[in-house]
Amino acid sequence: MKSYITEALANFFFEYETPRQVLVRNRRVGIVCRLIQLGVLVYIIGWVFIYEKGYQTEDTAIGSVFTKMKGVAYTEISGEKRVWDVSDYVYPDQGDESFVVMTNFIITMGQTQSTCPELPDGKNTCNSDEDCMKGQFKRTGNGHMTGKCVNTTKTCEIMSWCPIEDDRQIPDPPRLLAAENYTLFIKNSITFPEFNVIRSNLVEGVDQSYIKTCLFDPEKDPLCPIFRLGDVVRLSGFSFPQIARVGGAIGILIDWECNLDLSIQKCIPKYRFHGLYGSSEGDSGQASVGYNFRKAKYYVEDKVEKRTLMKVFGLRIDIIVHGLARKFDIIPTLTAIGSGVGIFGVATVVCDLVLLYLLPKRDFYKNMKFKYTTVLDEEPEMQLEKVDQRKE
Amino acid sequence: MKSYITEALANFFFEYETPRQVLVRNRRVGIVCRLIQLGVLVYIIGWVFIYEKGYQTEDTAIGSVFTKMKGVAYTEISGEKRVWDVSDYVYPDQGDESFVVMTNFIITMGQTQSTCPELPDGKNTCNSDEDCMKGQFKRTGNGHMTGKCVNTTKTCEIMSWCPIEDDRQIPDPPRLLAAENYTLFIKNSITFPEFNVIRSNLVEGVDQSYIKTCLFDPEKDPLCPIFRLGDVVRLSGFSFPQIARVGGAIGILIDWECNLDLSIQKCIPKYRFHGLYGSSEGDSGQASVGYNFRKAKYYVEDKVEKRTLMKVFGLRIDIIVHGLARKFDIIPTLTAIGSGVGIFGVATVVCDLVLLYLLPKRDFYKNMKFKYTTVLDEEPEMQLEKVDQRKE
Amino acid sequence: MKSYITEALANFFFEYETPRQVLVRNRRVGIVCRLIQLGVLVYIIGWVFIYEKGYQTEDTAIGSVFTKMKGVAYTEISGEKRVWDVSDYVYPDQGDESFVVMTNFIITMGQTQSTCPELPDGKNTCNSDEDCMKGQFKRTGNGHMTGKCVNTTKTCEIMSWCPIEDDRQIPDPPRLLAAENYTLFIKNSITFPEFNVIRSNLVEGVDQSYIKTCLFDPEKDPLCPIFRLGDVVRLSGFSFPQIARVGGAIGILIDWECNLDLSIQKCIPKYRFHGLYGSSEGDSGQASVGYNFRKAKYYVEDKVEKRTLMKVFGLRIDIIVHGLARKFDIIPTLTAIGSGVGIFGVATVVCDLVLLYLLPKRDFYKNMKFKYTTVLDEEPEMQLEKVDQRKE
């Protein structure tokens, strides 16, 4: 028994199977077939390996962003001069990846909790007290109706933060048009967790002395992390005076595409700019504008809580990080090779179809390629059709 | 020499190899084998290509979100009437993708930097001054101990923002239960960088006039970007009065699954809602509630810095964008075909096993399929077993 | 006609093709070939399936984070004692995934909109009024020049928030060094949308009673979601006193790597810490420090708007969630098998090369393997070279 197993093993290890082939000497078939095989080879080497880099694995980045604005604006509103610095016009303060730069505003000073008439903007008109149901809200209103219709404005009296903000007219030109010259500094750090690579947008060559003087320019200074706000707006396809008046949202895409088989120094960011939140009418949001929110500053005066309400129009800037790194890996390499060999098999199948069904001598080739057995449900009597020819 | 190379090249190009096959005429093996091959074919075409769309590449979206709340609440606390508008109850103001809607609060007015006794909540009791080490903090305490034990409260005196907030009782019912009727407007913009597609959740059909009147409903208005807060809570599986009292976190998932081989108009978002931050006891966080933070409003009164401390309970809403686009690409198509051909090879191997090891006539088939060579380490003497039969 | 189709179908279904093989009995070739085949098999089973889990699909997580700081600091600046609690030192308040813990600050009290001389920091010196152009800004300045050169400071007079902040000296030691003992509680919820799995970092075993007492430790308590700030800084490779003085940015990476074929309870997070925003000079940002921003608190005193400006130095902490789940799926399994079979084909090709080109008996094997046809563009006259030998 043991010797039998030994022999079987020996047979297995010392034997080797290789398919028997017919070598067809036919110019037309040969050329067609070689061309198909060449095509497959070019596809596998040229496209999968060189162009699409099929021998590499991918990893997407996780990133983190810090921003800092610089610049000062000056306004003179009804005789009152005022200077606006970063703390005044950036929301929030701490340098997030998403923030708003105020470019225009409607200010309502000294609001208190009291009663006053609604804004006569046409949505809240009343003719008599019956139109103002006491204790109710209107969806278009700003507060709790007291049940009185005020004669002078023809609107309901409400309990709310009074006086009501009057936002019927957006200041034009925008009050902080100087925002065009503010500068934005972006620090971006990305990690490719699979490859254990950490990278910052302050790449080689972008050092302290360069940062002090440079300004981003898509052609001349594509790596400078300092952006003039006017440039950002222009590169996104907006007009600054228009977007400054009613606000708008802009995405700054930091695009990292890194081939880690090359030097890490070639892993540098690309900055791209586009408008966000397009309406369905616009051309993919490129031309859609309008962004505002309300911000209240609370204070206490003469024991009464008051607030200054600002309707802020501004540029909302979202820094969006997109990172993709690639590196050689044995698995995708072998998978690509393996499936390439599979496609080689397809090439053979195609050539066989030509050989066996299209050529005039197809019967001859069929006999060369195939050996037939009888239908063995019947008596198997070793009756085989002519297959091979001997020549000794 | 040159003619030799030319001949070799000619031979290579004008020749064509194709494997020689045995055509076995056996009903059982034939059917088994054809069924296996059919299965593989159905799998490749049906599943890989049609169901899983193996001929497409994928790209994940990078998105950006803007939110805006609307609604007014009215409270009457110890006789003081007050109206709360968006600036009062949303944190932060500027419409981020993650924000908090206050639904309940504990307010501590007029805190100043001074000394006062700790809250008698059981964690900071003292019997004598020795229990209160001067200049030390307690982990459970709120400030810097002065070394005195206050008799009336039986707690240490501390230096802190005084008076200390008393949060032992959470107001019930929640003070801003009206939050149920607030509405939330979401603008979402996504980019598929690989396919260069930008898309907004204000898709075709969701225009200005529709937005003015619509309200999200999973059945009737699944594309309306305006959500009633009560609906969001209900769809997440929470009860509004409970979550409004102690707070909670809800994720609104905007799910984009786009087949870019079809019309871009079919690339529309799906909104889904679920609770976040489940405890280990709960059923995957569905029923876990509790979210609060403290917010101070600072002011100066009579030259003294004071603050109003709010313990804010609220709905924290995280808008989470998940986008996946697919588009035809030649690489995954050919990879799928190639690996499909490979699996076809597996089918042949399985059939061969049946043919060569299970059938009664297996020896006959072995002779048909294999041609044996002698062990060539020994004297090769062309001793070959009977393989083929000639018929001329 | 119909019977012809029936017959063809019957032929197709009852027939079965299998390649004819040569079984080469040669020890060296056999062993080489079996070893190559074994290598491919080990690679496919061992690496692709067991090590790289090629039978699974992947999904990346979408996560949401809530944070809460705890701790109190005490300062005594020019005789004024003050206690700082969470509302005072965390920006923003609401527990975002990215926030700043103030560790040092420069405070400028009672700024008003007025005129005052620029800071004499060397960048804004003037000798006469001509150096200060009325109505202009300097990029290095803080406001709108009035056209006067102030004699005492030798700097231009500007209209701005006055007095100007003097940030020439950063307080050392940092004022809130007690921040080292603050604790940070992180709640993290992740969703794998493809597998419909929701998971929280409060995993099994991390219950209320454990959270009350535990403190994160990479060895002993790797799952405790409460972190001492000093530990976080230390584990990121920074020195606390240094980073506390000038600020810095730290990423806390919550890494979920889940094999969903196993119990869901094994899907637990790993916490990792690293410095962010490295400069080009540093070693990948590990040692880069410096983070600050300005925060203004506005108030009204005697009808005049004033503000307290804080230059905040602090730890900016970004919680970064990275989740990757894997689960068995039939598609990648079959793709891996299919491409494995393809690589098997490569093994055969390699063995054939050895057999047909390297062995001394190569001509013998060539005759065994190939059957030649004549060049059929010429007269096909069945002239075939010696291929098979018969033995009956």
Side-chain angles (χ1 to χ4, degrees):
Chain A
M1 181 64 205
K2 201 182 154 192
S3 73
Y4 179 77
I5 291 174
T6 315
E7 205 192 303
L9 269 178
N11 273 347
F12 178 74
F13 273 106
F14 297 158
E15 268 173 22
Y16 152 68
E17 297 150 18
T18 182
R20 292 174 70 187
Q21 311 247 2
V22 189
L23 214 66
V24 178
R25 290 229 172 97
N26 179 305
R27 292 191 181 206
R28 268 175 298 171
V29 178
I31 285 177
V32 166
C33 194
R34 293 302 178 197
L35 283 183
I36 292 176
Q37 285 174 348
L38 200 74
V40 170
L41 205 70
V42 165
Y43 159 75
I44 293 170
I45 292 176
W47 196 336
V48 177
F49 277 82
I50 295 174
Y51 184 74
E52 292 277 341
K53 303 204 171 50
Y55 57 89
Q56 294 182 319
T57 41
E58 287 184 5
D59 191 19
T60 50
I62 43 187
S64 150
V65 170
F66 165 59
T67 55
K68 196 163 199 170
M69 292 292 305
K70 255 193 187 159
V72 175
Y74 171 83
T75 59
E76 200 171 332
I77 302 166
S78 36
E80 199 194 348
K81 291 167 186 175
R82 203 185 148 117
V83 162
W84 301 81
D85 67 7
V86 176
S87 307
D88 295 329
Y89 64 69
V90 173
Y91 305 91
D93 308 276
Q94 70 267 10
D96 274 1
E97 65 193 356
S98 169
F99 62 95
V100 179
V101 179
M102 178 165 74
T103 53
N104 203 2
F105 58 89
I106 293 167
I107 199 165
T108 314
M109 313 278 285
Q111 286 189 326
T112 56
Q113 290 275 346
S114 52
T115 59
C116 51
E118 273 277 12
L119 197 67
D121 59 356
K123 291 189 205 142
N124 297 291
T125 46
C126 64
N127 291 313
S128 66
D129 289 0
E130 279 97 69
D131 294 342
C132 304
M133 296 207 294
K134 192 183 167 174
Q136 296 289 306
F137 301 93
K138 263 192 195 161
R139 201 176 145 154
T140 52
N142 294 291
H144 197 71
M145 285 185 274
T146 59
K148 236 172 73 181
C149 184
V150 180
N151 264 331
T152 51
T153 61
K154 286 287 177 203
T155 57
C156 297
E157 192 190 61
I158 52 168
M159 143 115 222
S160 182
W161 286 100
C162 286
I164 297 294
E165 176 192 85
D166 181 359
D167 61 352
R168 286 173 294 176
Q169 281 230 314
I170 303 174
D172 195 2
R175 288 188 165 149
L176 299 171
L177 203 51
E180 198 166 357
N181 289 317
Y182 296 168
T183 56
L184 165 63
F185 172 48
I186 300 178
K187 256 189 188 175
N188 172 224
S189 174
I190 56 164
T191 310
F192 294 108
E194 212 173 291
F195 304 136
N196 219 2
V197 167
I198 297 176
R199 196 81 181 133
S200 155
N201 69 332
L202 306 183
V203 294
E204 295 77 18
V206 182
D207 52 18
Q208 286 305 317
S209 63
Y210 178 63
I211 287 176
K212 248 172 213 152
T213 57
C214 76
L215 202 59
F216 175 83
D217 183 285
E219 304 297 325
K220 280 181 279 175
D221 290 283
L223 289 175
C224 176
I226 295 178
F227 303 83
R228 197 175 148 271
L229 216 55
D231 293 344
V232 169
V233 168
R234 188 174 44 79
L235 290 166
S236 318
F238 290 106
S239 127
F240 197 87
Q242 191 203 0
I243 208 173
R245 199 173 77 90
V246 294
I250 286 176
I252 300 184
L253 181 63
I254 306 183
D255 206 352
W256 294 84
E257 210 146 317
C258 294
N259 185 342
L260 297 181
D261 292 335
L262 306 179
S263 156
I264 186 78
Q265 304 202 359
K266 296 204 175 169
C267 177
I268 54 175
K270 227 183 259 174
Y271 301 95
R272 282 156 52 185
F273 309 86
H274 57 86
L276 297 173
Y277 318 129
S279 74
S280 54
E281 286 108 318
D283 49 345
S284 297
Q286 204 59 18
S288 158
V289 290
Y291 176 89
N292 64 73
F293 66 92
R294 281 181 188 82
K295 169 96 191 164
K297 292 180 205 163
Y298 298 86
Y299 59 95
V300 174
E301 202 177 38
D302 304 329
K303 312 275 175 203
V304 177
E305 190 180 11
K306 297 189 174 180
R307 73 175 194 186
T308 300
L309 185 68
M310 300 259 287
K311 181 163 183 175
V312 175
F313 300 86
L315 277 181
R316 172 166 163 157
I317 294 181
D318 278 15
I319 318 280
I320 302 167
V321 179
H322 177 248
L324 191 71
R326 291 152 170 283
K327 205 177 185 176
F328 172 78
D329 193 73
I330 191 74
I331 301 269
T333 308
L334 289 176
T335 303
I337 290 176
S339 93
V341 171
I343 299 173
F344 246 98
V346 174
T348 300
V349 168
V350 170
C351 295
D352 277 2
L353 290 179
V354 172
L355 191 74
L356 302 175
Y357 295 100
L358 297 184
L359 284 190
K361 303 265 155 55
R362 52 183 175 262
D363 289 327
F364 170 74
Y365 290 116
K366 265 186 204 160
N367 280 345
M368 296 292 289
K369 184 174 168 69
F370 295 109
K371 183 162 95 180
Y372 300 92
T373 68
T374 51
V375 183
L376 282 173
D377 299 293
E378 300 155 31
E379 187 59 30
E381 29 128 358
M382 300 291 145
Q383 174 243 337
L384 297 169
E385 289 161 48
K386 60 170 172 186
V387 179
D388 302 314
Q389 285 161 339
R390 196 174 102 195
K391 186 186 165 193
E392 239 135 25
Chain B
M1 181 67 207
K2 201 182 154 195
S3 73
Y4 179 78
I5 290 173
T6 315
E7 204 192 306
L9 268 179
N11 273 350
F12 178 75
F13 273 107
F14 296 159
E15 268 174 21
Y16 152 67
E17 296 150 20
T18 182
R20 293 174 70 186
Q21 311 247 2
V22 189
L23 215 67
V24 178
R25 291 230 172 97
N26 179 306
R27 292 190 182 210
R28 269 175 297 169
V29 178
I31 284 176
V32 165
C33 193
R34 293 300 180 199
L35 283 184
I36 292 176
Q37 285 176 347
L38 201 74
V40 171
L41 204 71
V42 164
Y43 158 77
I44 293 170
I45 292 176
W47 197 334
V48 176
F49 276 83
I50 295 174
Y51 184 75
E52 292 277 341
K53 304 204 170 51
Y55 57 88
Q56 294 181 321
T57 41
E58 286 184 6
D59 191 20
T60 50
I62 42 186
S64 149
V65 169
F66 165 60
T67 56
K68 196 163 200 171
M69 292 290 306
K70 256 195 186 159
V72 175
Y74 171 82
T75 58
E76 200 171 335
I77 302 164
S78 36
E80 199 196 346
K81 291 167 185 173
R82 203 185 147 117
V83 161
W84 302 81
D85 67 8
V86 176
S87 306
D88 295 328
Y89 64 70
V90 172
Y91 305 91
D93 309 275
Q94 70 266 12
D96 274 0
E97 64 193 356
S98 169
F99 61 95
V100 179
V101 179
M102 178 166 71
T103 52
N104 203 2
F105 59 89
I106 294 167
I107 200 165
T108 313
M109 312 277 285
Q111 285 188 326
T112 57
Q113 290 276 346
S114 53
T115 60
C116 52
E118 272 278 11
L119 197 67
D121 58 358
K123 290 188 207 143
N124 297 292
T125 46
C126 63
N127 291 312
S128 68
D129 289 358
E130 281 96 68
D131 295 344
C132 304
M133 295 207 295
K134 191 181 168 179
Q136 297 288 305
F137 300 94
K138 264 192 195 164
R139 201 176 145 156
T140 52
N142 294 291
H144 197 70
M145 286 185 276
T146 59
K148 236 172 73 182
C149 184
V150 179
N151 265 330
T152 49
T153 60
K154 286 288 176 202
T155 57
C156 296
E157 193 191 61
I158 52 169
M159 145 114 222
S160 182
W161 286 101
C162 286
I164 297 295
E165 177 191 83
D166 181 359
D167 61 352
R168 285 173 296 177
Q169 281 230 314
I170 302 174
D172 196 4
R175 287 188 164 148
L176 299 171
L177 204 51
E180 198 165 358
N181 289 318
Y182 296 167
T183 56
L184 165 64
F185 171 48
I186 299 177
K187 257 191 186 173
N188 172 222
S189 172
I190 57 164
T191 310
F192 294 107
E194 211 173 295
F195 304 136
N196 217 1
V197 167
I198 297 176
R199 196 83 180 131
S200 154
N201 69 331
L202 306 182
V203 294
E204 294 76 18
V206 181
D207 52 17
Q208 286 305 318
S209 63
Y210 178 64
I211 287 175
K212 248 174 213 153
T213 57
C214 76
L215 203 61
F216 176 83
D217 183 286
E219 303 298 323
K220 279 180 282 175
D221 291 283
L223 287 176
C224 177
I226 295 177
F227 303 83
R228 198 175 147 269
L229 216 55
D231 293 343
V232 168
V233 169
R234 189 174 44 78
L235 290 166
S236 317
F238 290 106
S239 127
F240 197 87
Q242 192 203 1
I243 207 173
R245 199 173 76 88
V246 295
I250 286 176
I252 301 185
L253 181 63
I254 307 184
D255 207 352
W256 295 84
E257 210 147 317
C258 294
N259 185 342
L260 297 181
D261 292 335
L262 306 180
S263 156
I264 187 75
Q265 304 202 358
K266 295 204 173 167
C267 177
I268 54 174
K270 229 183 255 176
Y271 300 95
R272 282 155 53 185
F273 309 86
H274 58 86
L276 297 173
Y277 318 128
S279 75
S280 54
E281 286 109 318
D283 47 347
S284 297
Q286 204 57 23
S288 160
V289 290
Y291 177 88
N292 63 73
F293 66 92
R294 280 180 188 82
K295 169 94 191 165
K297 290 182 206 163
Y298 298 86
Y299 59 95
V300 174
E301 202 176 37
D302 303 329
K303 312 274 175 204
V304 177
E305 190 180 12
K306 296 189 174 180
R307 73 176 195 185
T308 300
L309 185 68
M310 301 259 288
K311 181 164 183 176
V312 175
F313 300 86
L315 278 179
R316 172 165 163 158
I317 294 181
D318 278 14
I319 318 281
I320 302 166
V321 178
H322 178 248
L324 192 70
R326 291 152 170 282
K327 204 175 184 177
F328 171 78
D329 192 73
I330 190 74
I331 300 269
T333 309
L334 288 176
T335 304
I337 290 176
S339 93
V341 170
I343 299 174
F344 246 96
V346 175
T348 299
V349 168
V350 170
C351 295
D352 276 5
L353 289 179
V354 172
L355 191 74
L356 301 175
Y357 295 100
L358 298 183
L359 286 190
K361 303 267 155 53
R362 52 184 174 260
D363 289 328
F364 170 74
Y365 290 116
K366 266 186 203 159
N367 281 343
M368 296 292 289
K369 184 173 168 69
F370 294 110
K371 181 161 98 179
Y372 299 92
T373 68
T374 50
V375 181
L376 282 174
D377 297 294
E378 300 153 31
E379 186 60 29
E381 30 131 358
M382 302 288 145
Q383 173 243 339
L384 298 169
E385 288 160 47
K386 62 173 168 190
V387 180
D388 304 312
Q389 286 161 338
R390 197 173 100 192
K391 187 184 163 195
E392 235 133 28
Chain C
M1 180 66 202
K2 201 181 157 194
S3 73
Y4 178 77
I5 291 174
T6 316
E7 203 191 306
L9 270 179
N11 273 350
F12 177 74
F13 274 106
F14 297 159
E15 268 174 22
Y16 153 68
E17 296 149 21
T18 182
R20 293 174 70 185
Q21 312 247 3
V22 188
L23 216 66
V24 178
R25 289 229 173 98
N26 179 306
R27 292 191 181 205
R28 270 175 296 170
V29 178
I31 284 177
V32 165
C33 193
R34 293 302 179 198
L35 282 183
I36 292 176
Q37 286 177 346
L38 200 74
V40 170
L41 205 72
V42 164
Y43 159 76
I44 292 169
I45 292 175
W47 196 337
V48 177
F49 276 83
I50 295 174
Y51 183 75
E52 291 276 342
K53 304 204 170 50
Y55 56 89
Q56 294 181 322
T57 40
E58 287 184 3
D59 191 19
T60 50
I62 42 187
S64 148
V65 169
F66 166 59
T67 56
K68 196 163 201 172
M69 292 292 305
K70 253 192 188 163
V72 175
Y74 171 83
T75 59
E76 201 172 331
I77 302 166
S78 36
E80 200 196 346
K81 291 168 187 174
R82 203 186 148 116
V83 161
W84 301 81
D85 67 7
V86 176
S87 307
D88 296 328
Y89 63 71
V90 173
Y91 305 91
D93 308 276
Q94 69 266 10
D96 274 0
E97 63 194 355
S98 170
F99 62 96
V100 179
V101 179
M102 178 165 72
T103 54
N104 203 2
F105 59 88
I106 293 167
I107 198 163
T108 312
M109 313 276 287
Q111 285 189 326
T112 56
Q113 290 275 347
S114 52
T115 59
C116 52
E118 272 279 10
L119 198 66
D121 57 358
K123 290 188 209 144
N124 297 290
T125 47
C126 64
N127 291 312
S128 66
D129 289 359
E130 281 95 69
D131 295 343
C132 304
M133 296 209 293
K134 191 180 167 177
Q136 296 289 306
F137 301 93
K138 263 192 198 163
R139 201 175 146 156
T140 52
N142 295 290
H144 198 70
M145 286 185 276
T146 60
K148 237 172 71 182
C149 184
V150 180
N151 265 330
T152 50
T153 59
K154 287 287 176 201
T155 57
C156 297
E157 193 191 63
I158 51 168
M159 144 116 223
S160 183
W161 286 101
C162 286
I164 297 293
E165 177 192 82
D166 181 359
D167 61 352
R168 285 172 295 175
Q169 281 230 312
I170 302 174
D172 194 5
R175 288 190 162 144
L176 299 171
L177 204 51
E180 198 165 359
N181 290 317
Y182 296 165
T183 56
L184 165 63
F185 171 47
I186 300 178
K187 257 190 186 173
N188 171 224
S189 173
I190 56 163
T191 310
F192 294 108
E194 211 172 294
F195 303 136
N196 219 1
V197 166
I198 297 176
R199 195 83 179 129
S200 155
N201 70 331
L202 307 182
V203 294
E204 295 76 18
V206 181
D207 52 18
Q208 286 304 318
S209 63
Y210 178 63
I211 287 177
K212 248 173 212 152
T213 57
C214 76
L215 202 60
F216 176 81
D217 182 286
E219 304 298 324
K220 281 180 280 175
D221 291 282
L223 288 175
C224 176
I226 294 177
F227 303 83
R228 197 176 147 269
L229 216 54
D231 293 344
V232 168
V233 170
R234 190 173 44 78
L235 290 166
S236 317
F238 290 105
S239 127
F240 196 86
Q242 192 204 0
I243 208 174
R245 199 173 76 90
V246 294
I250 286 176
I252 301 184
L253 181 63
I254 307 183
D255 206 353
W256 295 84
E257 210 146 315
C258 293
N259 185 341
L260 297 180
D261 292 334
L262 307 179
S263 157
I264 186 78
Q265 304 201 358
K266 296 205 174 168
C267 177
I268 55 176
K270 228 183 259 175
Y271 300 95
R272 283 155 53 186
F273 309 86
H274 58 87
L276 297 173
Y277 317 130
S279 74
S280 55
E281 285 108 318
D283 48 348
S284 297
Q286 204 59 18
S288 159
V289 291
Y291 178 89
N292 64 73
F293 66 91
R294 282 181 186 81
K295 168 96 191 163
K297 291 181 205 163
Y298 298 86
Y299 59 95
V300 174
E301 202 177 38
D302 302 330
K303 311 275 175 202
V304 176
E305 189 178 11
K306 296 190 175 181
R307 72 176 196 186
T308 300
L309 184 67
M310 301 259 288
K311 181 164 184 176
V312 175
F313 300 86
L315 278 180
R316 173 169 164 154
I317 294 180
D318 278 16
I319 318 280
I320 301 168
V321 179
H322 178 245
L324 191 70
R326 291 152 169 284
K327 204 176 186 177
F328 171 79
D329 193 73
I330 191 72
I331 300 270
T333 309
L334 288 177
T335 303
I337 291 176
S339 92
V341 171
I343 299 174
F344 246 96
V346 174
T348 300
V349 168
V350 170
C351 295
D352 277 4
L353 289 179
V354 172
L355 191 75
L356 301 175
Y357 295 99
L358 297 184
L359 284 190
K361 303 266 155 53
R362 52 186 177 258
D363 289 329
F364 171 75
Y365 290 116
K366 266 186 202 160
N367 280 343
M368 295 293 289
K369 185 173 167 71
F370 294 110
K371 182 161 98 178
Y372 299 91
T373 69
T374 50
V375 182
L376 282 172
D377 299 292
E378 300 155 30
E379 184 61 28
E381 31 130 355
M382 300 289 145
Q383 172 242 339
L384 297 168
E385 287 160 49
K386 62 175 165 182
V387 181
D388 303 314
Q389 286 159 336
R390 197 175 100 194
K391 187 186 161 194
E392 235 132 28

